[in-house]
Every structure is written in C-alpha cells, then in structure tokens.
Amino acid sequence: MEGRKYEAKKITKFSHLFLYLLFFSANASFESSFSFSSSSTNMHTNNWAVLVCTSRFWFNYRHMANTLSLYRTVKRLGIPDERIILMLADDMACNTRNSYPAQVFNNENHQLNLYGDNVEVDYRGYEVTVENFLRVLTGRHETAVPRSKRLLSDEGSHILLYMTGHGGDEFLKFQDSEEIQSQDLADAIEQMREKGRFKELLIMVDTCQAATLFSRLYSPGVLAIGSSLKGENSYSHHLDSDVGVSVVDRFTFYTLAFFERLNMYDNASLSSLFNSYNPNLLMSTAYYRMDLYKRPLDQVPVTNFFGSVMEMTHVDSAYHAFSGKTKYETPHIQMPSSDQSTDQAEQQELRTSDASIETKYSVKEVKPGNNHLMGQWKALLDMVEDTDAFVNYGLLAMALVAVISSWVLS
Amino acid sequence: MAENMKQQQQEPDICSRTTLPGSKRLLLTLYVFFSFIIGAPFFLKSRAIYRAPLPFKSIESLDNHLSMNPLLFPCHFHTVFLGFGQENQNMGFAQELEFLMFQKMQHISGSDRVCGGCGDNYSVSVTVDYISGCFQSGALENEVSWPCGSLDLSELEQILASDAAFDEYIESFLQRNGGLLKYRGNAYRVVVVNREMENSYRTVIGKHRHAWIYGKISEGDAVSLAAQLFVNFFMNGGIGEGLFSKGKGEFMPIAADGSVVLSFSLLNANPNDWVFDWDFRKIDEIFLSPVVKALAPLANISVESQILYHTPKASYSYWDENLASYIFSTNDLPFFVNSNEWYLDTSVGAAGQSKILHFVVYVPSADECPLVLQLPDGTISSTNGFMSPTWGGIIVWNPTSCSTDSRSARLSRHTFSSQDLVQVMEVFMGQLRLLFGLKSYTSYDVDIQNIVASEKGFAEWELDVLVRHHAAYNLFSSATTLQSLSKLVQSLPSMIVMDEIGKQVKLSLEAANLAENNASLGMYDAAEVSSREARVWAEAAFFHPSIMSILYFPFEHHVAIYSPFFVPVAMHVFIAAFKETMRYRREREKYWAWKNQAPAL
C-alpha cells in the first residue's frame, strides 16, 4: 500500500514539473523585443525595390510573370536597375517547354514581352534561397559580393518588397525545397530598422494565405498588403492556351491594371490602390495592415514606393574659389516646391500588435458541404481559443497516458 | 527451482522468502539508468553552441553615456580690438568686454547642446590692443595669444583692398608671431579694427580661422557682431536653421568605412550632333586634388571619371520664344535623371559598401539646345545646376553655338577650355558643399559683406565644423550599432558567435573611448580618425556574414527533434529501474522477515 501511494505521488510531482516546463516554453516562444523609434525625422532620399519570385518549374510560370510585370512597372515609373534587386529562378524564358522562346507574357493577348529589353536579374536560379534573401535584407554579405547584388539603402529610403510564390500559414516556400517563416521575416525587418536601412517599407505578398506572412511584424514604419487571408487561396487570373499554363495571378493583374493607368507625373495615393481591389474579382480578400505605419494612406502617393521621385534642389550659386572673383551675387534661396516626403516629427508609441493580430482576422468559413465530420471538427477547433495551450495540454495528456500504460503493463 | 516452488506452496506465509533476492536484474537496470544520468551532461555539452563572450555591459554603458552626454569639442573664441580710443586703458574694460561677449554668445546659441558642436564648453577671451600697450583677458591670461602692438594700422589700408590678401596677411602675421598657440581645441579669432575716418564698417570672414571687422564701429556693436560671427559661423558652420541643423552628421555622404567615391561623368546626349571631351587628368591635378587633400581628415576620397554617349534625358522641355531657348522648370527636376540609359553606377573602384557621389555634366542634343533651367519666379538659373542629397549633382552645359550647320564641326571633338572648366568646377564645388550640408554660396546675412572662398573648396573653419559633426555622428552610430548587435545576440540564444566578432567589438569599444578622450583634449582630427575606426569595427561586427537570423527555433522544435530519441526509451528505463528497485526492496524485506522469524522456529 505504501509503495503504491508513493508511486502515485511521484507521478503527480513529475507531471507538475512537466507542466511547468511546457508552460515556460510556451511563454518563451512568444518573446520578441519591441523598440521604439521615430523614423519621421529623416528625409526621403530614394526608392528601392526588392522583387522576389520564390518558385521554379514550368507550371509556376505565372509567378515569374508576376515578378517581371512588377519589375517592368517599377522601372517605367522611374526606379533604376541599380536600385532594384530582382530575384528569379529564371527558368521560364528558355525552358524547352516554352513555345515562345525567350519571351515571357503576362497576358494571353501576348502584347507585352516581359523578357524583352533591359531585364537585369540579380539573383537567378539556385541563388534564390532563404539565406540569400535574408542576407539581402539585412545587408550581411561576404565582402566579395558586388554592389549590384546588395541592398544599399539608407535611412531615407523607401523600399518596396514584393514576394510571390506558394505560401501557407505563416510561411512562404522557396524553390520547392525550403521555406521562410513569418517570424524570420519579422526579425530580419527589425534588424533592418535598427540599422537604419529603410525609412518606410511596403510589403506586397501574392501567395495563398498571404496575410499570415506579415502577421508577426513589429517594426514601425512598415506597411503590408497581402492577396488573401488565412485559410483563403489566391487564384490565377487566366490560362493562356498557347503557352499552356496560367500566366498571371489575380492580385498582381489588378495591381498592374491600376498602374497602367498611371504615369510618372501622377500622384494617386496608396489608399486608392488598396481600395481598387475587389474581393469578388480577386476571389480572395486583399488584406492590408497599417497599424505599424504612421502616415494616413490617402496622403501617401504611390510614387513614394513604386516610382522614383528624386528630391532635387537647385544650386543657387557656384562656389567662386577658382577664378579669384571677390564679388558675389545676391542670393535667392529656393526650396523644392513639391515636398511630398518630409514628415513632421510625430512621436507616436508603437501599439502592441499581439492583441490586434488576433482580432484583425478571424478564420473565414470555408465553403461548407464537403464533410459533415470536417465541419464538426472545425467547430470544435473554433471553440478552443488558445490553440497553443490546448496543444500543450494534449501533449501532457499523451505523456501521462504513455507513462501510466507502460507502468501498468511492465 | 521446483523445490523453491514446492516450498512456497507449502509456506502459508507469502511475505517471506528464504534466500536473498537476485541482484542481477537490479544491477542491470540501475546500470542502464545511471549511464543515462551520467551521459546527459556530456550530451548537452556536445550540443552546446559556441558563443564568444561579448562585453554586453560595456556596450550598454557606452550607449547610455553617449545618449546623455553627446560628444562635444572644446573651442576657444578670441576677439582682438584694435584702434579704439585710449580712454579705457585698463584690464577692467577688457574683462567687461569678455563678459559681455560671453553673455551675447550664450544668448544667441541658446542652451541646447547640438551633437558635435562646441556645446557650452567653449572659452572666450578678449584682447584690447593699443599702440602703447594692451590688455588681455580670458581663460588663458598668462599665455600670449596676440602679439601686442605689432600690427601697423596704417599699412592695413592698402592691403584691405583685397579681402583674400588681407586674409593671408593676418594669417602669416599670426604664424610669424606665435599667435596660433595650442589651445585645447581650435581657436577662432575676430579682429576688430576701428577706423574713425570711415563711414561704416565691413565684415569679412576669412578662409582660415579668423574674421575681421574693419571700419567705424563702437565696442558694443563690435561685441554683438563678433558674437554672431562666432556662434553662427565658427560654431555652426553658417548653416543656420535648416534641415541639417540638428544631427547633421547623418546626412554626410560618407560611407561607414570613411570613404567616398566622387564619380564624374560627361554625358553626350546625342553624339551625332557634337561630342564633348575633357582632360580629366588636368582637372584632377588643378581642381580636385587640393579638395581631396583638404577633406582627408574627414573622409578618404577617391575620384574617377567617365564619358558616356547616347544619353538622352527622361523629362521634356519646351521652346520659349522670349528667352530663345528650351526651358525646363523645377517641376521637371525630379524626372531629369534617365536612370534607364544613364549607366552612372559602374564604378570598378567602389567596394561593396562605399558611397558614390555622382557629378554629371549633361550636354544636350541639337534639338534641345540651349537648355536652361527656369526657376519658379521666372528667372533663369545662373548655374544651370541642381543636386539631389546623398546622390550627387548635375550641370547642364550648353555648347557655345547651338547650330549644327557646320558639318565639319560635328566630327571633331570639342574639349572643354580652361574657362569652361573653371565655370563647371565652381558649380561642382558648390554642389559638393551642398552635399556635405554647407551652403554653396556665401553670405545670406546682410551683415556679412563677404566670405573668402578657399581654393580647397572648404574653409578651415568649415572643415572644423564638418569634422566635429561627423566625429560625433560616427561615435553615436557605433554605439547604436553595438547596442543592436548585443540585443540581437542576446535574443537568439542558439546562434553561433564567432571569436572574430568578439575581437571586433572590443576594438570598437577601445576606439570609441579613445575618440572621446581625443575630443575632450580638443584634437579634432585625431578624434575624427578614432571615431571612424570605432564605426568601422562596429559595422564589421554587426554585418559579419556569419550572423544569420534564420535560427529561430522555438522550444517546441527542440522538443520535437529530441523527444523521439529519448522519451520512449527513457520512460521505459526509468520505469524499469524504479520498479526493479521496488521489487528488490520488497523481496529483501521478505527475506529479512523470514530471517527474523527463523530463530523462533
């Protein structure tokens, strides 16, 4: 009898210890460091674009077409090649299955050859890896890496980060062999912010469940838009029967349609871009996240990210040092007239985004009718609010069952 | 075995046994159990990640220290009064002037400590020089800071005809007579020469470290004017309130390793019309090398040049009949640079992290000639040049004759003549000054008649301002970089930290301390050099390629990886050991019970 009681006490003590360990781990995994700073005192000096296509193979033609279309748009609006980092697997144009060799189209009317002139791909083929992508973002290259492969932005840069490919809940698949998690992306962006590598950052993601990829962001000055919510897929726009595959995705198609109506001198605002997405046409919900971004969207022109409006100042007079002249003309001080980028110094605190993430997007209902059991199972899952604690309790229960059963049976 | 069973069957008491229980099973299970226990620390040691120890505390203290005490340099401001009346020949007058000067300067500069300025750490002294004697007041009364009575006022009239000549005269005078003694920090002088016969006074700032006021002026006016000169120009670089007044060091176009590449390009928009050429070697020798030498303490400058052809611009211009030229306005400026066809960033000398400043001379084609820039108020720009901060500058250069009738002219190359070069380089110098945050032209203040231009592009006092600000910024930047690095390393406990990173951090901290010492001693250039070193090491440590952030392993990952190896086996081993021990004790108790009973039998 004594022995039995002693055994029972030992089990409960052990389970207490295990429970404590599990709780500790659950808390530790949610640690992230918040830092407060205001980027609004810097001046907007230049624009950069990082365009990443994370898929390879012929049937992912549309992802490469997406990226090349955006590359073309961004170049047309003024960002030069030296400020664009283009990462592509680049196996479409010269693919043996391509019936239009050396040509890449994003529309079945074949009016525009995206792979035409002046396409400078910085990372091609197997160089498009998660490691290289993160190295580009954080700036940690080997010393021999040339300037054209580096993101040489400074604290006045606005960066456009566009990613397309196959994604899922909190991850994005790279080249069918590895994946990047949303926490890694958030950490890399935080390091960029700490080193002053951007003033503002716009992330556009065109994948399935795109909104989950930027759900873990916590750095101020970042604006993100994704083509679909958690649990939703993003769909391609149309199939090109000549080429044989889908040639463009819906989200990118409507983004391009918006920009085709624009030219260099326009100043349409970001809110008009974001409001131009129609969920019925997209067949998914384009969700954007602006809690980390200070400026109101209707005051931000799209050319702040997609174009390149260089801040130019007229030089009032020369420095007459070489001709020995001693008389100077009266100065006229000119300030640049269109000053759309100097912000006022507003010191705003960063809102903790933990709570807001959970409330911002709730799991949308998938079309019912597949399986009654699945529906019941999903209803059960919905009831459970804190899935991680649930999982931990489940693990604990499993461990207890295993210990008890092996005790009894041995 | 059979006997034992028979014995047990016959025994009515099952709680005793006649032999000691076997210990083989116990020993076996305990052996496996303890080898598990003993092996655990070895296993954990083999999984441990090598992390070089970083001095987190020193980094934190450096960061806190710098955010509370920004780097300030000692400066000394000295005023010399010449030619004033003889009625106030006493030390008290000089001291009164000094006090007044100090007050005025405090009033103008305010109490904010601009990072990299003189702060409130400056000293003021005054010398009143009469022909018969002189009185010096100020912090360094025992040191001779002005050779009294040696300046002959009558000579000055002729020299004053030219500001530059007067500047050199005073400079050589000071050097001859030991006036440039070693103060802590640099000393700036204003020489006030009162001449009763003049109608008004004239204020000029030289290109070394002094300025002068010459003419009829009272002591009070001279004091306030000199205070303005000290604060607005010698302390703050003549910038005044503007984008760069606070924290200006950030926008200086100098890379983290202290190097800048000046890239000069000559763009021929349409070489079918005319082709322009320049002798860059001569340009480099005559114009650029003095500037590069002068900026040497600030940055390591290298110069390169190229000539490009077929480079049209991206914006449009229209023909204006009145002005007889093609006009582009300031609205077109942001779109002028045609990045698609202007391959400017093709430097071979620039390393990965260098900063390149582009200086472009654009020669338009015949159907856009002459191309002039019209300002918003309708006037035509005198320089035809414009710049973009941290990028560089552009000048539009129109050929002297815009006609292409002479076909023969088309095929010859036009080289820039010396006058053309002077003109072009002067505008470039203005642009370079703007890029560094100074003003391209001279006085904006009605009180200052002239600021002498230096053929090095920057006056010495301007260089002082730049060096101070940049050194302060370097130090601040290295402190924040180290702080981010330590935060990063501490937040990723599973990341390898190599020895090299530890060494670089140590070197950076040492250089930062050295820079602070140098700054407090007033050695501007040495402080700049060591602050640059601090920043280089800090950036090298932060941007070390081995630091990768894809090492986010939540605890669940570790559990998931190791538990299939250990948990099932460990569970059984533990249970077996425990059960076996219990069984052994039970059986032994039974044996003792029997043994105790036996004598009774």
Side-chain angles (χ1 to χ4, degrees):
Chain A
M1 294 314 142
E2 283 251 344
R4 291 266 166 211
K5 243 198 253 168
Y6 179 70
E7 285 165 17
K9 247 200 249 166
K10 197 164 182 205
I11 287 179
T12 49
K13 246 207 241 162
F14 177 70
S15 63
H16 273 296
L17 185 65
F18 198 43
L19 185 67
Y20 174 71
L21 272 177
L22 282 173
F23 262 124
F24 182 68
S25 71
N27 287 337
S29 61
F30 278 116
E31 247 172 46
S32 56
S33 59
F34 284 82
S35 36
F36 299 86
S37 93
S38 143
S39 66
S40 50
T41 48
N42 291 333
M43 202 173 60
H44 172 204
T45 48
N46 51 30
N47 285 352
W48 281 80
V50 180
L51 309 171
V52 186
C53 165
T54 61
S55 315
R56 61 185 303 116
F57 304 131
W58 176 248
F59 47 84
N60 292 322
Y61 186 102
R62 61 191 185 283
H63 295 145
M64 179 154 148
N66 287 348
T67 319
L68 282 175
S69 321
L70 219 75
Y71 172 75
R72 183 188 158 269
T73 303
V74 142
K75 268 183 81 162
R76 185 176 66 85
L77 292 174
I79 303 188
D81 268 319
E82 56 213 31
R83 290 206 288 275
I84 300 179
I85 305 266
L86 181 60
M87 302 176 79
L88 289 181
D90 209 11
D91 55 352
M92 305 298 165
C94 300
N95 197 312
T96 44
R97 293 161 84 167
N98 191 357
S99 45
Y100 293 85
Q103 288 168 312
V104 175
F105 304 112
N106 68 349
N107 200 313
E108 60 179 351
N109 57 23
H110 294 188
Q111 270 183 344
L112 185 61
N113 173 17
L114 297 170
Y115 210 69
D117 331 305
N118 275 343
V119 172
E120 186 186 295
V121 182
D122 297 304
Y123 287 85
R124 62 162 18 104
Y126 289 106
E127 291 175 353
V128 182
T129 58
V130 173
E131 184 187 330
N132 280 347
F133 175 61
L134 289 176
R135 282 189 190 278
V136 163
L137 286 185
T138 53
R140 297 207 174 93
H141 298 277
E142 305 285 335
T143 40
V145 171
R147 286 173 67 84
S148 60
K149 282 188 161 179
R150 293 181 189 238
L151 181 63
L152 297 168
S153 55
D154 51 36
E155 53 273 318
S157 304
H158 286 185
I159 302 183
L160 166 71
L161 174 60
Y162 175 80
M163 294 186 281
T164 181
H166 289 289
D169 192 2
E170 310 250 347
F171 70 91
L172 175 61
K173 193 167 71 157
F174 261 72
Q175 305 249 317
D176 224 10
S177 62
E178 50 182 1
E179 61 208 28
I180 183 172
Q181 299 178 31
S182 54
Q183 183 68 45
D184 291 332
L185 185 64
D187 285 338
I189 290 176
E190 173 64 14
Q191 286 187 50
M192 284 174 81
R193 192 200 58 80
E194 284 204 4
K195 211 53 200 72
R197 280 167 72 73
F198 67 90
K199 179 171 185 280
E200 292 177 4
L201 176 64
L202 170 62
I203 303 179
M204 284 185 101
V205 189
D206 188 0
T207 69
C208 302
Q209 306 192 52
T212 58
L213 191 65
F214 47 83
S215 60
R216 301 266 188 146
L217 289 179
Y218 52 91
S219 317
V222 180
L223 180 62
I225 178 166
S227 58
S228 51
L229 291 172
K230 173 167 164 158
E232 286 180 355
N233 292 332
S234 293
Y235 297 96
S236 62
H237 190 256
H238 62 266
L239 171 73
D240 182 340
S241 37
D242 272 342
V243 175
V245 281
S246 304
V247 288
V248 69
D249 278 334
R250 287 181 180 252
F251 179 73
T252 309
F253 181 82
Y254 290 110
T255 310
L256 294 172
F258 180 88
F259 280 106
E260 289 299 318
R261 299 194 290 264
L262 218 64
N263 65 20
M264 260 195 325
Y265 292 82
D266 275 347
N267 55 359
S269 70
L270 271 184
S271 66
S272 60
L273 170 64
F274 289 175
N275 293 335
S276 71
Y277 297 119
N278 182 347
N280 295 331
L281 293 176
L282 282 183
M283 290 165 61
S284 58
T285 316
Y287 166 73
Y288 60 94
R289 172 178 181 181
M290 42 182 272
D291 57 321
L292 295 167
Y293 192 69
K294 291 189 189 68
R295 296 200 280 161
L297 288 181
D298 50 0
Q299 288 174 13
V300 182
V302 287
T303 45
N304 259 5
F305 291 100
F306 288 89
S308 173
V309 181
M310 292 177 75
E311 181 91 21
M312 290 282 198
T313 326
H314 171 240
V315 173
D316 317 49
S317 86
Y319 188 68
H320 299 284
F322 301 126
S323 50
K325 291 213 306 245
T326 54
K327 200 158 169 301
Y328 298 84
E329 50 254 26
T330 51
H332 34 257
I333 302 174
Q334 303 294 336
M335 298 305 288
S337 48
S338 61
D339 217 343
Q340 54 202 11
S341 51
T342 47
D343 309 282
Q344 301 307 315
E346 300 156 351
Q347 302 282 339
Q348 281 188 5
E349 297 262 307
L350 173 69
R351 294 202 320 257
T352 54
S353 48
D354 267 346
S356 47
I357 293 175
E358 294 300 316
T359 53
K360 270 267 163 72
Y361 53 92
S362 54
V363 178
K364 283 250 163 133
E365 311 283 350
V366 178
K367 297 195 189 60
N370 291 351
N371 210 340
H372 191 51
L373 205 61
M374 281 296 289
Q376 274 188 337
W377 177 242
K378 278 217 175 319
L380 184 68
L381 276 184
D382 286 343
M383 261 171 34
V384 177
E385 276 159 15
D386 188 2
T387 50
D388 281 290
F390 181 68
V391 164
N392 289 338
Y393 276 119
L395 281 175
L396 178 63
M398 269 169 43
L400 280 177
V401 163
V403 168
I404 293 172
S405 60
S406 60
W407 181 274
V408 164
L409 293 172
S410 69
Chain B
M1 189 57 167
E3 290 170 346
N4 231 353
M5 278 179 63
K6 253 201 264 171
Q7 226 175 352
Q8 281 193 335
Q9 279 172 355
Q10 288 168 9
E11 287 276 328
D13 186 4
I14 56 168
C15 290
S16 65
R17 52 183 288 148
T18 53
T19 53
L20 265 178
S23 55
K24 254 195 288 196
R25 276 203 335 211
L26 179 67
L27 280 177
L28 210 57
T29 49
L30 282 182
Y31 175 72
V32 175
F33 177 71
F34 279 117
S35 62
F36 251 74
I37 303 286
I38 291 172
F42 288 100
F43 173 73
L44 287 175
K45 184 86 196 315
S46 73
R47 304 307 308 149
I49 295 171
Y50 179 72
R51 285 163 78 87
L54 289 184
F56 297 121
K57 288 251 166 14
S58 333
I59 296 174
E60 174 114 17
S61 67
L62 177 70
D63 196 31
N64 288 340
H65 172 75
L66 277 179
S67 49
M68 286 197 292
N69 321 341
L71 193 68
L72 296 169
F73 291 80
C75 314
H76 184 80
F77 300 108
H78 182 215
T79 324
V80 180
F81 289 87
L82 287 165
F84 282 88
Q86 313 244 345
E87 58 270 11
N88 290 325
Q89 280 195 41
N90 52 9
M91 180 61 99
F93 180 58
Q95 282 176 340
E96 199 183 297
L97 283 178
E98 178 202 326
F99 182 65
L100 199 59
M101 173 76 69
F102 193 73
Q103 273 217 314
K104 276 247 157 20
M105 286 181 69
Q106 291 275 40
H107 175 71
I108 300 176
S109 68
S111 57
D112 63 347
R113 285 141 45 107
V114 174
C115 194
C118 296
D120 41 8
N121 185 14
Y122 52 86
S123 54
V124 173
S125 68
V126 165
T127 305
V128 186
D129 187 359
Y130 309 103
I131 311 299
S132 41
C134 76
F135 296 96
Q136 304 194 99
S137 81
L140 299 148
E141 290 175 13
N142 299 330
E143 309 220 7
V144 175
S145 52
W146 177 259
C148 290
S150 344
L151 199 62
D152 189 356
L153 293 182
S154 52
E155 286 182 356
L156 294 182
E157 296 246 5
Q158 306 139 317
I159 308 176
L160 271 169
S162 148
D163 285 335
F166 190 66
D167 197 21
E168 293 305 318
Y169 177 74
I170 292 206
E171 178 72 12
S172 57
F173 174 76
L174 286 171
Q175 284 192 346
R176 259 199 327 257
N177 293 303
L180 300 176
L181 291 176
K182 291 281 177 275
Y183 291 103
R184 282 172 74 107
N186 285 335
Y188 302 96
R189 274 191 186 77
V190 170
V191 178
V192 184
V193 182
N194 182 25
R195 305 291 278 165
E196 295 291 335
M197 54 280 280
E198 305 279 341
N199 300 331
S200 67
Y201 58 87
R202 194 155 183 276
T203 317
V204 180
I205 304 182
K207 64 179 190 264
H208 298 280
R209 291 190 176 92
H210 47 258
W212 63 90
I213 306 173
Y214 183 87
K216 179 174 165 57
I217 186 171
S218 70
E219 289 95 339
D221 285 342
V223 162
S224 56
L225 192 54
Q228 268 184 11
L229 283 177
F230 282 141
V231 173
N232 290 339
F233 288 89
F234 291 136
M235 268 215 299
N236 293 336
I239 302 165
E241 291 301 318
L243 272 177
F244 300 135
S245 53
K246 250 189 182 313
K248 87 185 283 302
E250 291 177 33
F251 282 100
M252 265 199 253
I254 303 179
D257 56 356
S259 69
V260 192
V261 177
L262 301 181
S263 166
F264 290 86
S265 313
L266 174 57
L267 262 45
N268 291 293
N270 190 354
N272 292 327
D273 297 329
W274 39 61
V275 174
F276 273 80
D277 196 359
W278 60 14
D279 183 359
F280 199 76
R281 215 176 272 277
K282 208 168 65 165
I283 297 178
D284 194 21
E285 265 175 43
I286 301 178
F287 300 106
L288 291 176
S289 38
V291 178
V292 168
K293 251 205 303 254
L295 285 176
L298 190 61
N300 189 3
I301 299 185
S302 54
V303 174
E304 48 188 44
S305 76
Q306 61 178 352
I307 303 181
L308 297 179
Y309 306 93
H310 292 287
T311 52
K313 69 183 197 328
S315 67
Y316 302 106
S317 61
Y318 64 93
W319 172 257
D320 185 316
E321 213 32 72
N322 300 346
L323 300 164
S325 33
Y326 287 88
I327 302 291
F328 67 107
S329 69
T330 46
N331 292 333
D332 292 321
L333 288 184
F335 311 104
F336 194 90
V337 177
N338 183 3
S339 324
N340 277 331
E341 307 203 22
W342 294 13
Y343 295 111
L344 296 175
D345 196 5
T346 51
S347 164
V348 288
Q353 298 259 23
S354 314
K355 189 97 196 156
I356 298 188
L357 289 178
H358 300 100
F359 292 96
V360 175
V361 178
Y362 178 78
V363 180
S365 54
D367 35 321
E368 271 197 321
C369 171
L371 187 64
V372 289
L373 172 65
Q374 187 176 45
L375 302 167
D377 58 0
T379 54
I380 296 296
S381 157
S382 52
T383 54
N384 234 12
F386 43 97
M387 50 78 77
S388 178
T390 71
W391 182 83
I394 305 177
I395 303 175
V396 177
W397 176 262
N398 294 311
T400 38
S401 68
C402 281
S403 59
T404 49
D405 296 336
S406 48
R407 289 286 172 240
S408 58
R410 194 174 63 162
L411 300 169
S412 66
R413 297 176 89 89
H414 304 257
T415 313
F416 275 84
S417 64
S418 327
Q419 288 97 314
D420 297 340
L421 279 180
V422 163
Q423 225 177 328
V424 163
M425 291 311 293
E426 282 184 352
V427 182
F428 274 152
M429 229 13 81
Q431 288 176 342
L432 184 66
R433 287 166 59 89
L434 279 173
L435 285 167
F436 272 90
L438 302 171
K439 291 219 180 286
S440 73
Y441 53 89
T442 51
S443 83
Y444 66 98
D445 201 340
V446 291
D447 288 337
I448 317 286
Q449 271 67 37
N450 193 6
I451 300 183
V452 177
S454 155
E455 69 273 354
K456 300 192 207 145
F458 296 86
E460 283 180 26
W461 53 273
E462 288 175 333
L463 279 176
D464 282 348
V465 170
L466 290 180
V467 161
R468 286 200 296 259
H469 280 271
H470 194 238
Y473 174 67
N474 276 350
L475 208 56
F476 177 70
S477 157
S478 44
T480 44
T481 306
L482 287 176
Q483 179 75 335
S484 332
L485 178 66
S486 78
K487 255 199 297 207
L488 173 65
V489 164
Q490 283 173 325
S491 73
L492 288 178
S494 53
M495 182 179 85
I496 301 180
V497 179
M498 308 191 65
D499 275 335
E500 210 181 338
I501 300 180
K503 266 196 287 222
Q504 286 166 343
V505 168
K506 212 159 56 102
L507 284 169
S508 175
L509 286 172
E510 278 171 15
N513 280 332
L514 186 61
E516 275 191 291
N517 282 344
N518 286 342
S520 62
L521 288 175
M523 303 192 288
Y524 290 7
D525 290 349
E528 160 72 21
V529 165
S530 26
S531 72
R532 193 197 309 176
E533 222 185 274
R535 183 158 174 220
V536 164
W537 288 123
E539 302 257 326
F542 188 84
F543 284 114
H544 199 266
S546 72
I547 301 178
M548 280 311 296
S549 59
I550 35 168
L551 287 167
Y552 173 68
F553 289 137
F555 189 70
E556 287 93 340
H557 279 214
H558 288 287
V559 169
I561 290 170
Y562 291 119
S563 56
F565 292 115
F566 297 116
V567 167
V569 178
M571 197 170 61
H572 284 283
V573 165
F574 279 37
I575 290 173
F578 185 72
K579 275 193 133 182
E580 195 48 45
T581 323
M582 290 283 99
R583 185 204 71 97
Y584 186 79
R585 280 178 36 185
R586 252 202 331 267
E587 296 295 316
R588 226 179 23 171
E589 275 169 22
K590 284 190 203 171
Y591 174 68
W592 289 128
W594 171 80
K595 230 154 148 239
N596 292 336
Q597 277 178 12
L601 279 174

